Amino acid sequence: MNGGAISRRSLARLLARSGFVAANEEAAELLRAAAGDGVLLRQMLERRLTGEPLPWVTGSTTFAGITLRVCPGVYVPRWQTGPLALAAAALLPTRGTGVDLCTGSGAVAAVMRRHRPQARVLATESDQAACACARANGFDIEVYEGDLDEPLPAELRGRVDVVAVVAPYVPSREIQFLPRDVRLYEPHAALDGGEDGLCVLRRAVDAAGRLLAPGGHFLTELGGTQDDMLATGLARAGLEVVDRLVDDEGDLRGLVTRKAL
Ligand SMILES: C[S@@+](CC[C@H](N)C(=O)[O-])C[C@H]1O[C@@H](n2cnc3c(N)ncnc32)[C@H](O)[C@@H]1O
């Protein structure tokens, strides 16, 4: 790269030549984040060309209609999770209590708060950097560092209206098939769900069983046949499947369940 200004078109061309499929959108995003600072733009472009996630480079992403800060080292919320976040918000009563387990940057919790500004929303996360990122995103979310429901105030047990989780759910042996940049950059603990992908999620189901009030809802992202594999755990926690979230290809993306009355 030389020292002159970079136009949007040449930036997009460069990104396309380097294999970025959404080159036009990425060029626009980089230019917006650089805000006219040519040196910064070049630094950001160099980082992006290594495969570093765009939201880490620009500092933010759009998720389910809201702008979120995503700090380097923190899992990038996926647009495919948007419907689950919106479903969780829709099920949360106006002045209810919602919990987002494994919150990462705070994405699902932030959507709940945006749609239910009078509700109490709490979030937990085991990674310190992600907790800091979720707190920096604001939205008046109470962020607790620790394992699943363990750090939450004890008085919440049996009183929560909505529990949502996007846990790591990729089976360990399938991590190798994820895109190179995801494997290289994104935190392993955000992706690897153990032998069958459900090591964290099974415990999240138990946590939801403890937290939810009768009639409360638990929503989780998952894939493949993980719904069948989770059926026994859901039944043990008193959770009945009331809806299935599927993508445009008809593939299962998540479950909405309800705690027995
Ligand atoms: C797939 S990411 C999802 C993040 C966020 N919910 C989202 O959709 O953007 C999973 C997150 O769970 C966190 N995590 C993994 N195991 C956890 C545990 N036992 N308790 C709390 N958080 C955990 C990881 O650090 C990571 O941030």
Side-chain angles (χ1 to χ4, degrees):
M1 280 178 284
N2 63 35
I6 313 174
S7 72
R8 176 171 167 167
R9 186 182 290 183
S10 51
L11 193 55
R13 228 183 277 130
L14 208 157
L15 287 162
R17 269 205 309 270
S18 304
F20 292 92
V21 282
N24 278 317
E25 292 78 2
E26 293 218 9
E29 189 58 22
L30 287 167
L31 283 165
R32 183 202 57 75
D37 183 334
V39 174
L40 179 60
L41 179 62
R42 281 185 167 68
Q43 287 168 348
M44 292 197 301
L45 179 59
E46 275 170 22
R47 287 172 63 191
R48 184 62 186 133
L49 289 175
T50 68
E52 188 175 338
L54 184 67
W56 291 6
V57 174
T58 62
S60 67
T61 193
T62 302
F63 174 74
I66 62 176
T67 302
L68 274 180
R69 184 188 297 218
V70 185
C71 313
V74 176
Y75 177 87
V76 176
R78 307 299 204 259
W79 64 267
Q80 293 93 333
T81 302
L84 180 138
L86 292 168
L91 289 166
L92 183 58
T94 305
R95 293 175 199 279
T97 302
V99 169
D100 178 22
L101 303 171
C102 300
T103 199
S105 63
V108 175
V111 172
M112 285 200 259
R113 275 285 299 175
R114 170 57 60 86
H115 289 264
R116 294 287 183 269
Q118 296 178 66
R120 182 180 184 195
V121 177
L122 306 93
T124 70
E125 166 59 51
S126 57
D127 180 73
Q128 198 178 22
C131 282
C133 183
R135 289 190 186 107
N137 267 313
F139 292 95
D140 269 334
I141 294 156
E142 299 170 40
V143 180
Y144 293 84
E145 183 178 338
D147 180 52
L148 298 174
D149 62 328
E150 182 270 328
L152 291 171
E155 78 264 13
L156 281 184
R157 281 190 169 209
R159 295 184 169 191
V160 174
D161 299 293
V162 171
V163 175
V165 69
V166 182
Y169 63 92
V170 181
S172 302
R173 66 182 174 285
E174 291 178 22
I175 294 280
Q176 60 181 316
F177 304 122
L178 293 174
R180 172 189 163 275
D181 294 347
V182 173
R183 277 186 285 113
L184 266 183
Y185 284 97
E186 295 208 68
H188 193 77
L191 305 168
D192 192 341
E195 192 175 342
D196 63 357
L198 296 175
C199 289
V200 181
L201 195 42
R202 276 199 192 87
R203 294 195 302 111
V205 167
D206 294 340
R210 288 188 287 273
L211 289 169
L212 283 174
H217 289 87
F218 170 64
L219 301 91
T220 181
E221 190 164 296
L222 40 64
T225 58
Q226 288 179 331
D227 55 335
D228 293 335
M229 294 153 70
L230 215 52
T232 307
L234 288 169
R236 198 179 48 232
L239 297 166
E240 182 197 352
V241 176
V242 292
D243 202 3
R244 296 160 61 82
L245 305 173
V246 291
D247 62 21
D248 292 345
E249 275 81 51
D251 292 328
L252 182 68
R253 297 286 318 175
L255 292 179
V256 182
T257 71
R258 188 163 179 266
K259 180 108 188 254
L261 287 169

